């Protein structure tokens, strides 16, 4: 199951909504429990994930440089992985780090559910270009 984490991180590095969405089951869910008001809270289904990430990644000035400090935790549920990571991004030539935590439920090689926890304030700032 760790291969799916590698592919997830590669999609982030490439800012490829297609690569990311292709990891999901047709009815997969990707949710963001801690986002700021006005931001999307969840995507329902592979095609909504694809469209949402295409719009989101297409609109951000952030360039993903590296996914680092990755720690994968197996849970007592064989379908669930917990992934800690830091995303190193560059925005207008300045480097920033956004810590994150993913809780992935994988069944038959496809993600069926993701809870994507990240620093919502940092993400909102990076999206707006206001990084101070």
């Amino acid at each position: 199951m760790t291969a799916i984490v590698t592919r997830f991180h590669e999609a982030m590095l490439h800012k490829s909504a297609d690569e990311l969405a292709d990891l999901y089951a047709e009815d997969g869910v990707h949710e963001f429990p801690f986002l700021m008001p006005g931001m999307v809270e969840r995507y329902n289904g592979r095609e909504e994930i694809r469209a949402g990430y295409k719009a989101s990644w297409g609109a951000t000035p952030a360039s993903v440089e590296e996914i680092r400090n990755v720690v994968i935790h197996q849970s007592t549920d064989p379908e669930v992985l917990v992934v800690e990571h830091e995303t190193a991004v560059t925005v207008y030539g300045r480097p920033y780090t956004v810590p994150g935590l993913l809780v992935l439920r994988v069944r038959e090689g496809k993600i069926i559910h993701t809870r994507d926890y990240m620093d919502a304030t940092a993400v909102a700032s990076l999206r707006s270009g206001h990084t101070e």
Side-chain angles (χ1 to χ4, degrees):
M1 282 212 318
T2 58
I4 205 154
V5 174
T6 300
R7 292 176 54 210
F8 193 105
H9 286 153
E10 287 172 351
M12 290 172 62
L13 285 165
H14 303 148
K15 286 174 63 173
S16 173
D18 290 329
E19 287 178 35
L20 184 68
D22 289 346
L23 298 174
Y24 282 82
E26 186 175 333
D27 60 349
V29 173
H30 189 118
E31 66 178 317
F32 306 92
F34 294 145
L35 286 186
M36 304 290 285
M39 296 177 88
V40 174
E41 293 179 11
R42 69 188 286 146
Y43 298 127
N44 295 303
R46 180 187 304 138
E47 295 314 312
E48 192 171 302
I49 293 165
R50 186 183 318 277
Y53 267 93
K54 198 168 281 193
S56 175
W57 283 342
T60 182
S63 173
V64 179
E65 304 298 329
E66 179 184 19
I67 311 297
R68 60 183 178 225
N69 298 326
V70 177
V71 179
I72 300 172
H73 304 276
Q74 295 288 141
S75 78
T76 56
D77 182 333
E79 292 186 340
V80 175
L81 291 173
V82 177
V83 183
E84 299 177 69
H85 62 236
E86 294 178 341
T87 304
V89 298
T90 300
V91 181
Y92 302 120
R94 297 182 64 189
Y96 295 89
T97 300
V98 179
L101 180 96
L102 298 169
V103 180
L104 302 173
R105 180 172 292 277
V106 180
R107 185 175 298 145
E108 298 176 7
K110 294 288 187 181
I111 299 171
I112 60 169
H113 191 257
T114 297
R115 285 197 179 102
D116 194 341
Y117 298 91
M118 65 187 94
D119 181 339
T121 304
V123 171
S125 294
L126 293 174
R127 288 178 186 221
S128 71
H130 302 293
T131 54
E132 302 272 15

